[in-house]
Amino acid sequence: GVWYGVQREGWSPIQSLYFAVAAMATGGLESPSVDVGQGTNAVLVGLYALVGVPIFAYNLGNVAAAFEGMVSRRREVEALLKRMDKEEFEIAAAIVAPDDMVDRAEFVLLELIRLNKIDAA
């Protein structure tokens, strides 16, 4: 996109970068006007948008998923490190076997309940 703007349209690198991002982010709706006097310009811009829009959307989705993953992990760590409240003690008392010892399976079950991954009911 930047190469096209500088070489074919004679734009500055900043204008070309704007074109490259705008053409991919909006499918060319907000990009600077392109000289369509030559038929190849319209074809090049069309192909650029046709290929660039899905690639841009895919990468934007990956960035959003990475941020969401970081936030989710931080929330899970905070939930696991906070002190148990009275309600969680009552749930644990109902789940733990009568021997009053928490085995590994019960511990995992209690932690999954704390993370709201499963329902205690």
Side-chain angles (χ1 to χ4, degrees):
V2 176
W3 174 86
Y4 170 83
V6 171
Q7 296 297 320
R8 302 282 298 210
E9 294 291 330
W11 297 330
S12 71
I14 298 297
Q15 287 175 313
S16 299
L17 181 62
Y18 171 74
F19 163 77
V21 173
M24 287 187 293
T26 65
L29 297 176
E30 290 293 323
S31 65
S33 60
V34 174
D35 179 21
V36 291
Q38 297 176 337
T40 58
N41 284 354
V43 172
L44 286 173
V45 172
L47 289 175
Y48 177 73
L50 187 66
V51 172
V53 169
I55 292 172
F56 184 77
Y58 174 78
N59 288 325
L60 189 62
N62 285 339
V63 169
F67 281 127
E68 191 278 329
M70 290 186 323
V71 169
S72 293
R73 282 189 292 280
R74 187 178 72 224
R75 286 184 183 157
E76 287 176 353
V77 168
E78 289 172 358
L80 291 174
L81 294 178
K82 77 176 179 94
R83 293 185 178 264
M84 289 180 69
D85 58 16
K86 183 178 179 182
E87 182 182 339
E88 290 174 330
F89 272 113
E90 292 170 358
I91 292 170
I95 292 174
V96 173
D99 63 358
D100 289 334
M101 298 293 291
V102 177
D103 63 13
R104 183 174 288 155
E106 292 167 336
F107 175 77
V108 169
L109 182 62
L110 291 170
E111 293 302 315
L112 288 172
I113 291 170
R114 287 187 86 189
L115 293 172
N116 292 322
K117 300 290 185 184
I118 60 172
D119 189 14

